[in-house]
Every structure is written in C-alpha cells, then in structure tokens.
Amino acid sequence: MDSRRPPLAPPCRTLPEYVRHWAETTPERRAFTFVDHPAPHSRGVHRTLTWRRLDVRVRALAARLAAQAEPGARVALLCPQGTEYVTGFLATLAAGLVAVPLYPPSLPGHADRLSGVLADATPTVVVTTSRARAEVRDFCDRATVRVVTVDDVPDSAAGDRRPVAVDEDAIAYLQYTSGSTRAPAGVEITHGNVVANAWQALAAYGADTRPVTCVGWLPLYHDMGLVLSVAAPVARGVPSVLMDPAAFLHQPSRWLRLLAAHPHAISAAPNFAYDYCASAVTAEQKAELRLDGIAALINGSEPVRPGTVDRFHAAFAAQGLAADTHCPSYGLAEATVFVSAARPGEPLRRLALDRDALASGKALPARPDDPRAVLLAGCGTPAGQRLRVTDPATGAVLSEGEIGEIRVQGPNIGRGYWNRATESRRVFGTGPAEPAEPADRTEPIGSADPAAGGGRWLRTGDLGTVLDGQLVVTGRLKDLIVVDGRNHYPQDIEATVMDTHPAVRRDRLAAFSVPGPTAERVVVVAEHTRSTDVAEIDVPALVRAVRGAVSTRHGLRLADIVLVPPGTVPRTSSGKVSRALTRARHLAGEYTGAAGTPEVAG
C-alpha cells in the first residue's frame, strides 16, 4: 500500500493540520518508523506509527499538555530519538504551545548547554519518555516545571480533540542555534515558517511531486533533522524512517542499509559522515547493499568538500550509487534550515579558487592541481527564497565573484531571537543597500517575489559569493582569521592540517587566532586518531610537517600546534567543532601539558 503515489497535499497552515488530513485520507499508510538497535550486532527493530495512530497519539498528548499550560507557554522536549519525540513535538504545536526541541540530560558533554537553554526558554512543561523520566526529573529538580511522559498518556485522552486554531505567524517552536561561534540563541520559528521551509526543501530535492522516503539519523533537536525527518514528511504525507545518531556512529553501515531498503530515499548528513562511511564500512557490509534507488543525499556542511564526495562515491560506486545523487546545500537555524541546494541529477559543481584572491575578498579561478588552490563545491540556488551577497560593514550589494556576507529573504525566515530584541533587529531586520548601478551589480538569485519574508533580509553571518548563479559558501564571518590584513578561513587551514599527517583525526580540530605581542597569532588544536597512541606519534615531526604545509599553502606561521586526545576538542549539540569554545579553553590554559610545540617568538 505504501508503494502507491501519495495523494496531493492540500494547503494547510500548520503541521498538526497536515497530520489530521493524512489521518483522514490515508489512515493506514506508514507515517514514522523508528529503527532501534538494542545490541551491537542488531539489524534493527522497527516500530511504526501509521497516520491514524500518529493522529491519536498527537491528540491525546495535546489534550494533556493543554491541561498543564496556558496557550503560548514553552514546552521543552527532553526525549530520546524516536517516535515519542515526533509525537511530543507535533502535540505541542497542536495544543497551541511553543515547542523547545532539546535532548535528554544524558547526552554526553552538553549538560551545561541544556541548563542554559532551559533557563533562557523558561518552559512550563517538560516532555520526556518513561525511559528517560528519572534522569529528567533529577535534572529539573530545582525548576518549577511539570514533567509529562509521552508513553504514559493513554489513547483515551484524545477524545474528539482537534488541533488548536493558531495564526500562521504565531511561534511554533524555538530552534536554539548550535553555539559554534557564540552562546546558543532561540530562533522564533512560526507555523508559517516551518510549513514554508518544508515545502521549499521538498521542491529543492524533487520530493514535492513524486513518492519518496525520508531516512535520517540526524538528531531531531537539530534544525535539519527536525525539518527533513519530521516537517517535510508531515507536509507531503510520505514515510519517515528514523534511527539514533549513536547507532550510526557505532556502525555507519546501518544508515546505508536503511537507504538501500527504502526506494527513492532522501537523507542528509554532515561532511564527516560521508568520510566516515567511506573509511569504516567493510567489504562484507558493502556486499549486501544496493544503493541505486537513492533519490538525494544532502550535504549541509560549510563548506562542502569535493574530495569527501569523491571518496564516498568511489567507495560505493560498485553498489550502484549514482554520482549525481549528492546535493551540497546551505542553511541555518535563522532561516528554519534550508536556504540553497544543488538539485539531484545535476553533476557536482566543482570550484578551484585562488587562495590569495580569497584572502583579499575575491573568488578567482585557479588550476585544480595547484597546491595553493582552494577546492569547494557549489551549493546550488535558493529554494523559494532570494539571496544576496553584501559588504558586511555597509550592506552594499557586491558584484558576482566578490566575497561578502550572505543575506536571505523568504517566508521561512524566523521572527527573531527569543528575548533578544536588540540582536533580533540587527540580524533579522536589515536590508542590503540598493546599488547605484543595478546593471553592474548582482541581482538577488532565487524567487523574485518581493513580499517573501515581509521584505526583511536576514544577515546570516556567513561569507560567500555567487558564481554563475550558484551560491558558494566560504566560511563564517566570526571565525575569519585576519593576520597582517589578510583573511584566512579556519576550515581551509584545518583541511591542510588533516591532509598533512595521518595521526590527525579528520574533522576533529580547530584553527583560530589569539592575541600576540604585536599581531594576531594562529593556533591549531587537533585530536589524534583513536587508533593511535600519542606515545607512538613522533610529535616534533608532526609539528614540523604541519607548520611547513601551512606556511607553504597559506603563508602563515603557526604560533602553536596542540595535539590532544580524542573527544577533547569541544563540539556543539549538532556535532560541529566549536572553535569559539576551543579558543576559550586554549586561552584558559586547559590544554597545558598536551603534546605540541609552541613557536618561539622571534
């Protein structure tokens, strides 16, 4: 029954309205499946909710939540990954409350962030599961919140309840930013924002008119996980198959097996996941995979590395994986998530750019085999939005090929930051200055609808340019390293370090600048690989090799190279390396005694 083409979706204002529609029109179709892996060698235990069953569970929990909180109150989701998380999120929206997607206190290394977010959001109710209830109650012991356990609410609580009628401009949830460059802030995402972005994503990846299955392991508290694995399937009425992020990390072939098992699968993962699969999936595990039915693989890292895409496709070409399924994409929480994407079926847009020109704010071509070339992938075109590249200081629109701040306009742009009026006006309420000579400047790419997003232009804080109509993302404005008046992108330096020595753990390092006696100095803190004991590493030789490579490629002298154990470099809740926190720990002396050799000032 699930193989049939799903019926066309009606226009609905909220996600709970879509749930109700699918429950009435396609009640026995699969809605959400969670694949649990209770043992190391488990092939997966499937637990599925049909649209009818999901509707009952959402209405029952919404009734309980409505009895516990006033309309507009915040409800924190401290559930493990699973169908209970989906139910809790949708029920909160159906009750006219504001969801705060989070995670249980047991998530390693993120208790302080969780405490900070709860203090900022001030929820009235916390939703969890019976499995996590004890730890949640203990964690929230001093807070005046009510704890509701999803699986303890009986179906009978649903009665004849229907979703609360809410304005599409009302806040649906607070999406807290990852905190990679600052303290997490709650983005106010409206019902209209999330529905618009769900359809933008579906259209970008060719899923708005044909049957697909969304397959994902990204955490549901993360913006991409929430939209791709919950909002988009609900809007389109297609199945969503979920697994726990830890299950992927323990055995990445599990993700690939799910992709192979579901026709026309769409999935998303950061850059490191594709590298991880290419290196960790064994020949025996590959033998059982057929990957020719995958519709789209989304890579939302910044930047997307063509080398990673090549390694992943080379590793699984024999399993039928098509080279044109990879879709480099760009997005951020302030835009709900999706902004720009390369379309499935199109060849990867490879860009070799001159590193010296990038340092001066220009994107000029270079030979791909030039060791000083920066290799990037294009992130396609906007999905139902408008995009401009502007001067970060003046807001003036820049010409094609000039590096500047990316600004976005569309119906998916959030309302602002929760309880941060000044910062909201600066980030969400700006518009780029109109150029004096439009013919010589880059017009916005994407939708030409001037009413999109109410005319507001979002300042993303990301740097990039437009080349031949494609967005190219080069880095974060706050992460930019400026030495002697030249710009250096930390991820570019990090890529050089990773490629220089095999003992450096991929995507587990941070490059940043620190104050020096006369100028900024550059530091790299890198984890060594799990398979290598630090006593086995010739650290002075590693330091010499890294310093030489960075000097040759970037014209930089590294002030310090610190080699630390696996798990030492801090990461955000979405898995990104936190350069800001790594820098703060380095300045606080927390890496004193780690392997490495500071440069002698001279």
Side-chain angles (χ1 to χ4, degrees):
M1 188 172 191
D2 288 319
S3 63
R4 299 181 315 190
R5 181 180 297 275
L8 294 177
C12 294
R13 296 186 306 167
T14 70
L15 295 180
E17 288 179 14
Y18 277 111
V19 171
R20 188 64 174 164
H21 167 78
W22 300 122
E24 292 174 345
T25 57
T26 60
E28 302 309 318
R29 281 183 178 272
R30 289 181 300 129
F32 289 90
T33 298
F34 180 66
V35 183
D36 194 14
H37 296 85
H41 300 292
S42 171
R43 303 275 303 179
V45 178
H46 292 60
R47 298 183 176 91
T48 296
L49 293 178
T50 63
W51 289 108
R52 186 204 302 275
R53 184 84 185 119
L54 176 65
D55 177 60
V56 170
R57 295 304 302 151
V58 166
R59 290 190 292 113
L61 185 57
R64 179 64 58 87
L65 293 175
Q68 300 283 335
E70 297 294 323
R74 273 77 61 209
V75 175
L77 303 175
L78 272 60
C79 299
Q81 189 99 334
T83 55
E84 293 90 351
Y85 201 115
V86 177
T87 302
F89 174 74
L90 294 170
T92 302
L93 273 57
L97 304 172
V98 177
V100 186
L102 293 168
Y103 40 83
S106 57
L107 185 70
H110 295 288
D112 289 344
R113 179 183 184 273
L114 181 59
S115 295
V117 170
L118 291 175
D120 186 67
T122 60
T124 301
V125 178
V126 167
V127 171
T128 189
T129 65
S130 56
R131 180 158 59 99
R133 177 171 50 209
E135 66 180 83
V136 168
R137 286 190 185 279
D138 182 62
F139 191 82
C140 299
D141 182 51
R142 297 175 185 172
T144 56
V145 295
R146 304 178 183 94
V147 177
V148 173
T149 308
V150 176
D151 41 329
D152 283 348
V153 177
D155 291 353
S156 58
D160 58 357
R161 183 181 182 87
R162 299 186 71 90
V164 171
V166 296
D167 190 283
E168 62 182 325
D169 293 327
I171 303 174
Y173 60 99
L174 300 180
Q175 180 66 65
Y176 275 82
T177 57
S178 63
S180 58
T181 58
R182 58 175 177 176
V187 182
E188 298 176 352
I189 303 297
T190 69
H191 290 273
N193 290 154
V194 66
V195 169
N197 204 226
W199 282 105
Q200 288 166 339
L202 289 164
Y205 302 115
D208 54 339
T209 57
R210 59 180 173 137
V212 298
T213 300
C214 295
V215 176
W217 56 265
L218 293 178
L220 297 182
Y221 56 78
H222 183 245
D223 47 14
M224 184 177 286
L226 189 63
V227 171
L228 191 67
S229 290
V230 179
V234 166
R236 182 72 182 97
V238 296
S240 179
V241 179
L242 304 166
M243 63 182 286
D244 194 285
F248 165 75
L249 293 174
H250 291 156
Q251 194 176 123
S253 61
R254 291 167 170 168
W255 176 44
L256 301 178
R257 281 204 303 267
L258 290 181
L259 290 172
H262 295 88
H264 312 297
I266 290 180
S267 193
N271 209 81
F272 89 86
Y274 295 103
D275 264 327
Y276 183 36
C277 286
S279 62
V281 176
T282 66
E284 183 180 2
Q285 291 167 337
K286 289 179 184 180
E288 63 179 351
L289 298 174
R290 288 304 307 168
L291 303 178
D292 53 340
I294 295 176
L297 290 173
I298 302 162
N299 187 331
S301 299
E302 300 159 17
V304 178
R305 302 191 189 108
T308 295
V309 179
D310 293 341
R311 284 189 292 272
F312 182 77
H313 282 285
F316 299 102
Q319 283 65 52
L321 182 66
D324 58 6
T325 58
H326 215 88
C327 301
S329 305
Y330 165 72
L332 67 165
E334 288 82 351
T336 306
V337 64
F338 290 98
V339 171
S340 177
R343 277 33 175 188
E346 298 179 356
L348 185 73
R349 178 68 191 279
R350 302 168 184 275
L351 300 156
L353 302 178
D354 182 271
R355 182 174 279 113
D356 291 335
L358 280 178
S360 61
K362 303 283 186 181
L364 299 178
R367 295 194 322 274
D369 59 350
D370 186 335
R372 290 181 57 79
V374 177
L375 304 179
L376 299 174
C379 290
T381 55
Q385 299 161 65
R386 299 205 302 169
L387 182 150
R388 275 176 169 166
V389 176
T390 65
D391 184 294
T394 67
V397 181
L398 300 179
S399 299
E400 180 165 314
E402 292 185 286
I403 306 294
E405 183 179 13
I406 300 166
R407 301 199 191 196
V408 182
Q409 182 190 73
N412 54 303
I413 305 301
R415 294 200 332 179
Y417 294 120
W418 176 255
N419 286 338
R420 300 191 185 197
T422 301
E423 189 175 2
S424 295
R425 284 192 293 271
R426 181 183 64 82
V427 174
F428 291 85
T430 60
E434 293 299 325
E437 297 178 354
D440 296 330
R441 294 291 184 177
T442 302
E443 288 303 298
I445 59 174
S447 169
D449 179 12
R456 298 178 303 133
W457 286 84
L458 170 71
R459 293 192 64 169
T460 67
D462 291 315
L463 292 169
T465 189
V466 175
L467 293 174
D468 297 330
Q470 288 238 343
L471 175 65
V472 181
V473 181
T474 57
R476 289 284 296 171
L477 185 59
K478 289 185 178 180
D479 281 342
L480 197 64
I481 296 171
V482 183
V483 178
D484 296 330
R486 289 171 54 83
N487 296 335
H488 300 272
Y489 296 96
Q491 67 273 13
D492 192 19
I493 298 170
E494 292 157 7
T496 296
V497 175
M498 284 189 293
D499 292 340
T500 299
H501 200 284
V504 176
R505 191 179 180 197
R506 298 198 71 83
D507 296 303
R508 293 294 185 271
L509 70 166
F512 49 87
S513 62
V514 296
T518 58
E520 290 289 293
R521 296 163 68 83
V522 182
V523 172
V524 171
V525 176
E527 296 181 7
H528 63 75
T529 56
R530 289 191 180 277
S531 60
T532 307
D533 189 287
V534 70
E536 302 171 356
I537 303 172
D538 185 342
V539 176
L542 182 152
V543 169
R544 286 194 301 272
V546 168
R547 278 214 172 98
V550 171
S551 176
T552 299
R553 291 189 183 181
H554 306 274
L556 278 175
R557 296 173 66 192
L558 291 181
D560 203 356
I561 303 162
V562 184
L563 198 64
V564 297
T568 306
V569 174
R571 288 184 289 161
T572 69
S573 61
S574 62
K576 299 177 183 177
V577 166
S578 176
R579 297 187 185 99
L581 186 52
T582 307
R583 180 180 185 273
R585 290 182 178 180
H586 174 78
L587 291 173
E590 294 186 27
Y591 298 124
T592 301
T597 308
E599 183 184 69
V600 178

